[in-house]
Amino acid sequence: MTPGLTRYVDVASRFQARDTATTPAWLQRVRQEGLAHFARLGLPTTRDEAWKYTNLAPIADGAFVPSATAGSTAELAAVVARLALPGPRLVFVDGRLSPELSSVAGLPRGLTLKPLRDALVEDGAFLEAELGQRALAAEHAFTALNAALLEDGAVLRLAPGALSEVPVQLVFLTRGDAPVLASPRILVVAGEGSEATLVETYASATGGGSGQGFTNAVTEVTLGDNASLKHYRLQAEGDAAVHVGGLHVRQGRDSRFVSHTFAFGGVLARNEVHVTFAGEGGDATLNGLYVGRGTQHLDQRTALDHAVPRCTSRELYKGVLDDRARGTFHGLVKVRQDAQRTDSRQQNRNLLLSEHAQADTRPQLEILADDVKCAHGAVVGRLDAQALFYLRSRGIPLAEAERLLTYAFARELVDAVPEGPVRASVEGLLAPKLPGAPRTEVTA
């Protein structure tokens, strides 16, 4: 084992040994299997095809450990108020639930939202059957590490026909005063014909400053027939934070899934979205915007598995990169042999604001059927010189002209957010990342 792998295996082993007397046998098994898979898979390196553009040194060299206690969270009320959306929410600090900052008041009929800690006690049989069915620890190293440290998170259940008109929000705050490893697991099971919106917000408790920490989040979603889910991941953690997020979705017949990923924070952030169509007539839309500056590395990976006929997918990811930031996009659309009448389109566009910024893009189609409509494309470019000249000729300063054109590039994905409060939150997190915004220089 490498030193980094040995360190994390030791951390997980000590975590599993601390409360075996009160841990259900099935959960002990999930944790132990997760640790075994993690030790076998190891930490990914640039020699691994899926990680060839991403150096995980901040993780391998870090001394991250799970938080032992929840600690006082009263002073974080103002931070939560700034990030909170109308509707029910659970708040986690350094990976652990903060009951005093959470509120499930107004939860619509047919929806059940519980902290994972409570659900492990109250709904053990349900969790035993559902956890780990979409996010496979045997295939993903960081999913395996999350399983090995499985302890807290959230469970959202939608009864058949349930409808939520307000977003359900999960807020994950990183204090940044210690190298904490947070491993939240989110489970969503939507019954037939149900509809909801889920927002995951990841932020630093100290704003966009130098807060350190490693968040390794895994979300599993199962959509029943004709169910609909809009999912948002707003990632704006501190400049020295590390983030790995995995979203794994299984769609039933005629279900609809919309994903909006906004990645703005962290010295290193990787967001993955995996969608499998398991019933005909499914529809999936994946939108993503990543904005980096300084020496940030923002990595986006998507995988759409068209396993059955007559499903539709649309995908648009955009990157804005300044200074020496690097953005990576790898999108795979797989159309299996019997998945006829598949309709899939994928686009990745990148805007470089500096000659030192870098974008790596790899859209990929793997088509084994013959009656399909599939297309993909990628673009890397700079601000339009003529548009910039036009704005400056009207008396607009250079910095403001660059800011306007950059926002216009990103606006398509901001406007794709239909919920007003969520869109306002996205705009608030995006504004400090645009050209001309004040900067905080941080070294990891």
Side-chain angles (χ1 to χ4, degrees):
M1 291 186 184
T2 63
L5 178 59
T6 299
R7 188 181 308 112
Y8 285 104
V9 168
D10 180 62
V11 166
S13 298
R14 285 187 279 113
F15 168 84
Q16 293 183 10
R18 76 186 188 190
D19 61 352
T20 55
T22 58
T23 303
W26 70 267
L27 180 56
Q28 291 186 43
R29 184 175 64 255
V30 169
R31 290 174 174 174
Q32 291 166 0
E33 290 176 354
L35 179 56
H37 288 309
F38 178 67
R40 173 180 58 83
L41 293 167
L43 286 172
T45 71
T46 53
R47 293 189 297 272
D48 297 300
E49 184 64 24
W51 295 84
K52 66 182 297 183
Y53 300 116
T54 302
N55 188 333
L56 293 177
I59 295 176
D61 299 339
F64 301 104
V65 295
S67 177
T69 60
S72 174
T73 56
E75 72 278 11
L76 300 180
V79 178
V80 173
R82 174 172 55 84
L83 297 171
L85 301 170
R89 67 179 178 273
L90 295 179
V91 178
F92 301 81
V93 179
D94 286 339
R96 302 177 71 91
L97 177 73
S98 171
E100 61 267 36
L101 296 177
S102 303
S103 172
V104 294
L107 196 66
R109 178 178 298 180
L111 271 69
T112 302
L113 176 65
K114 291 184 180 181
L116 181 59
R117 280 178 175 270
D118 293 348
L120 288 171
V121 176
E122 301 168 5
D123 307 310
F126 170 76
L127 292 183
E128 182 178 4
E130 294 290 343
L131 276 175
Q133 298 306 302
R134 308 279 77 81
L136 303 179
E139 298 181 2
H140 305 279
F142 287 104
T143 300
L145 180 60
N146 179 280
L149 298 171
L150 193 61
E151 181 181 36
D152 219 337
V155 179
L156 175 64
R157 299 174 67 176
L158 285 71
L163 173 63
S164 176
E165 296 182 353
V166 295
V168 174
Q169 187 182 25
L170 306 175
V171 179
F172 299 91
L173 295 178
T174 303
R175 286 181 180 274
D177 54 1
V180 170
L181 169 56
S183 302
R185 174 68 66 101
I186 299 99
L187 177 66
V188 180
V189 178
E192 181 176 359
S194 60
E195 183 175 346
T197 298
L198 175 64
V199 181
E200 299 179 27
T201 302
Y202 297 84
S204 169
T206 56
S210 60
Q212 56 186 324
F214 173 20
T215 298
N216 179 30
V218 174
T219 300
E220 298 183 86
V221 176
T222 301
L223 297 181
D225 294 347
N226 202 37
S228 178
L229 179 70
K230 294 176 185 174
H231 179 272
Y232 295 87
R233 179 186 290 268
L234 314 183
Q235 193 281 109
E237 290 166 305
D239 295 335
V242 180
H243 183 99
V244 177
L247 171 61
H248 304 261
V249 182
R250 179 186 183 277
Q251 292 193 230
R253 176 178 53 81
D254 295 325
S255 62
R256 297 165 300 281
F257 177 69
V258 180
S259 166
H260 299 269
T261 300
F262 295 94
F264 304 145
V267 66
L268 170 64
R270 163 97 163 197
N271 287 287
E272 297 191 9
V273 181
H274 301 261
V275 177
T276 299
F277 292 101
E280 295 188 22
D283 186 288
T285 299
L286 308 186
N287 292 324
L289 176 65
Y290 46 103
V291 182
R293 63 185 187 181
T295 57
Q296 284 184 280
H297 187 113
L298 304 176
D299 187 353
Q300 315 299 311
R301 180 176 175 85
T302 64
L304 283 156
D305 186 356
H306 284 263
V308 296
R310 289 181 286 277
C311 291
T312 301
S313 63
R314 295 290 183 266
E315 187 171 0
L316 174 60
Y317 270 66
K318 286 187 174 185
V320 178
L321 304 163
D322 201 354
D323 303 323
R324 295 184 178 274
R326 185 174 186 177
T328 297
F329 173 82
H330 182 188
L332 171 64
V333 176
K334 184 172 184 178
V335 182
R336 296 185 182 270
Q337 185 172 359
D338 295 327
Q340 305 295 348
R341 308 294 296 276
T342 289
D343 184 354
S344 179
R345 299 179 188 176
Q346 178 192 84
Q347 284 286 327
N348 175 230
R349 303 170 191 163
N350 294 276
L351 177 62
L352 303 184
L353 302 178
S354 162
E355 62 181 14
H356 301 294
Q358 185 174 348
D360 303 293
T361 178
R362 188 183 176 188
Q364 184 178 0
L365 297 178
E366 185 178 321
I367 302 174
L368 303 178
D370 52 16
D371 183 10
V372 303
K373 292 192 296 183
C374 295
H376 66 180
V379 177
V380 179
R382 300 187 182 279
L383 288 174
D384 187 308
Q386 290 185 341
L388 196 60
F389 175 79
Y390 176 84
L391 292 176
R392 296 193 67 190
S393 69
R394 265 97 184 130
I396 298 176
L398 175 61
E400 182 62 21
E402 291 178 340
R403 184 180 182 87
L404 288 171
L405 291 177
T406 302
Y407 181 71
F409 176 80
R411 179 81 182 259
E412 181 178 6
L413 289 165
V414 176
D415 286 348
V417 178
E419 292 82 5
V422 182
R423 185 167 60 249
S425 183
V426 171
E427 290 179 332
L429 296 173
L430 172 63
K433 305 294 292 187
L434 295 174
R439 295 168 179 258
T440 302
E441 296 299 331
V442 176
T443 56

